[in-house]
Amino acid sequence: MTHESNAQNLTSNVNLLKSRVTRYAVYGVVISIVTILVATALSAYFFLGEITLNSFMKAQKENGVLWILDAMPFIFAIWGQQVGTVMAYEAGAMVMDQTQELRAKAAALEIKAIHDANHDALTDLPNRILFRDRVEQAVHNAKREGRICAVLLLDLDRFKEINDTIGHTNGDRVIKQVAMRLEALIRESDTLSRMGGDEFAILLQNITDAKDIELVAEKIHRTLETPFSIEGLLLDVQASIGGVVFPEHGGDVDTLIQRADVAMYVSKQKGHDFIVYSPELDEYSEHRLTLMGELRRSIDSGDLVLWYQPKIDAK
């Protein structure tokens, strides 16, 4: 809201409040006039023995007390105008201050809601929605300027074991520490995102060569080599990484992220640190989808059977 509109609102509020205070001042004037008439009539009756216009005039001239009462309507009128104006401005200013404060709080809540909708609650990194938007913008800019960009997806190895061993709370602490290390090695022009669970994504903009993503992958593994200290335990955390380059591996955001996910999955399955997407990897993606579908149907139909075989040292 502009300063001019604020001033208009203040003026309208002042006029409204002033009119209400003035109304009560008018009531005081009317009561004063009635009081003067009654007092003059009683004075004329007691001192002159009659209530007529002449006795009214004579009582007003001879009774000094009535002179004081005669001034009351004017006092009420002046007091009402002055007090009404002061109170109206004070109240109006207070209302405007409170309104501005409420607007500021509403704007802050709106900004926070937008931030929360686009950022991960645990790490405060951009979430999947914001990352996809950043990749889309990067692809658009790269097309226009004839540049290349890249997407890396990484998934922490054996993170479920960490959660099962030291609990989800400590698992979240590991995720936050991983996020801090990854943030420290990327450039300001790049984007680090937590896609969910123990999966992160990195958008590399303004790269000059497709081999640059291999260098970034090496940096990621080096920064994760140092064990993480949680509750007195030293945890070894590594990651499987898959990468794609625009426009070599895809011309749109969905294709790039999907193929980076394929490369990451193959990297995890084969135990490699890093794999760049190639068309030959798509068969693993199809196998993964088929396997997931078959597993889901097996669970629904009760075809899965758990066998338990204890291992005993004969000695």
Side-chain angles (χ1 to χ4, degrees):
M1 183 174 289
T2 63
H3 177 73
E4 183 179 352
S5 59
N6 285 336
Q8 291 176 351
N9 285 337
L10 178 59
T11 301
S12 61
N13 289 335
V14 166
N15 291 334
L16 177 61
L17 294 171
K18 184 178 178 181
S19 64
R20 293 183 178 178
V21 176
T22 303
R23 182 173 60 190
Y24 288 101
V26 171
Y27 292 160
V29 172
V30 172
I31 293 172
S32 298
I33 293 174
V34 172
T35 302
I36 291 171
L37 293 175
V38 172
T40 303
L42 291 174
S43 179
Y45 179 78
F46 283 113
F47 293 103
L48 301 176
E50 59 180 356
I51 301 177
T52 62
L53 181 58
N54 291 330
S55 63
F56 262 61
M57 298 298 293
K58 192 172 182 180
Q60 281 286 335
K61 289 179 180 180
E62 297 178 356
N63 193 336
V65 177
L66 294 179
W67 298 350
I68 299 175
L69 290 177
D70 290 342
M72 294 303 295
F74 301 101
I75 294 174
F76 267 107
I78 296 173
W79 170 83
Q81 289 295 320
Q82 183 178 2
V83 174
T85 301
V86 173
M87 290 181 61
Y89 269 105
E90 290 179 352
M94 183 175 62
V95 170
M96 289 301 300
D97 289 342
Q98 292 177 346
T99 302
Q100 289 292 91
E101 183 179 352
L102 289 174
R103 285 199 181 97
K105 289 182 179 179
L109 288 174
E110 184 178 359
I111 293 173
K112 185 179 184 301
I114 294 174
H115 179 274
D116 292 346
N118 292 282
H119 290 77
D120 174 57
L122 178 63
T123 62
D124 202 39
L125 294 175
N127 61 15
R128 181 183 296 270
I129 297 173
L130 183 56
F131 182 76
R132 188 185 183 283
D133 182 68
R134 296 273 179 88
V135 174
E136 192 170 15
Q137 293 180 22
V139 167
H140 176 75
N141 293 334
K143 284 181 180 179
R144 183 182 58 194
E145 300 173 8
R147 295 184 289 99
I148 61 176
C149 60
V151 172
L152 298 179
L153 288 186
L154 63 99
D155 188 84
L156 302 183
D157 297 333
R158 299 180 301 279
F159 186 73
K160 185 178 183 300
E161 295 179 12
I162 295 177
N163 273 336
D164 293 342
T165 303
I166 63 176
H168 289 275
T169 300
N170 289 320
D172 287 344
R173 292 174 60 186
V174 173
I175 291 291
K176 293 175 73 173
Q177 290 190 25
V178 169
M180 292 174 61
R181 292 193 189 183
L182 294 177
E183 275 189 299
L185 64 85
I186 66 170
R187 303 169 301 177
E188 290 186 4
S189 60
D190 301 330
T191 298
L192 171 65
S193 167
R194 184 189 180 206
M195 304 293 275
D198 59 333
E199 185 176 312
F200 294 85
I202 299 176
L203 167 64
L204 302 175
Q205 301 193 70
N206 303 325
I207 59 175
T208 57
D209 192 285
K211 293 183 179 179
D212 289 346
I213 63 174
E214 298 180 9
L215 299 177
V216 175
E218 290 178 5
K219 289 182 180 179
I220 293 174
H221 285 294
R222 282 201 301 269
T223 197
L224 296 178
E225 282 179 355
T226 304
F228 293 82
S229 178
I230 303 293
E231 296 292 331
L233 299 176
L234 294 179
L235 303 178
D236 181 31
V237 178
Q238 289 299 321
S240 299
I241 308 174
V244 292
V245 176
F246 169 86
E248 180 181 352
H249 300 133
D252 61 85
V253 56
D254 292 324
T255 301
L256 290 172
I257 294 179
Q258 186 267 333
R259 289 178 175 175
D261 184 67
V262 170
M264 182 189 69
Y265 170 74
V266 176
S267 172
K268 184 175 289 289
Q269 288 295 106
K270 291 190 173 185
H272 296 313
D273 292 339
F274 173 63
I275 288 182
V276 179
Y277 171 83
S278 64
E280 293 79 15
L281 301 180
D282 285 332
E283 61 179 279
Y284 291 94
S285 178
E286 295 175 0
H287 172 70
R288 183 183 181 187
L289 291 175
T290 302
L291 179 63
M292 292 300 293
E294 291 176 349
L295 180 60
R296 187 176 296 108
R297 287 192 294 272
S298 298
I299 293 175
D300 293 340
S301 59
D303 293 336
L304 295 182
V305 179
L306 176 64
W307 291 85
Y308 175 71
Q309 180 180 2
K311 293 182 179 181
I312 302 175
D313 187 351
K315 295 180 181 181

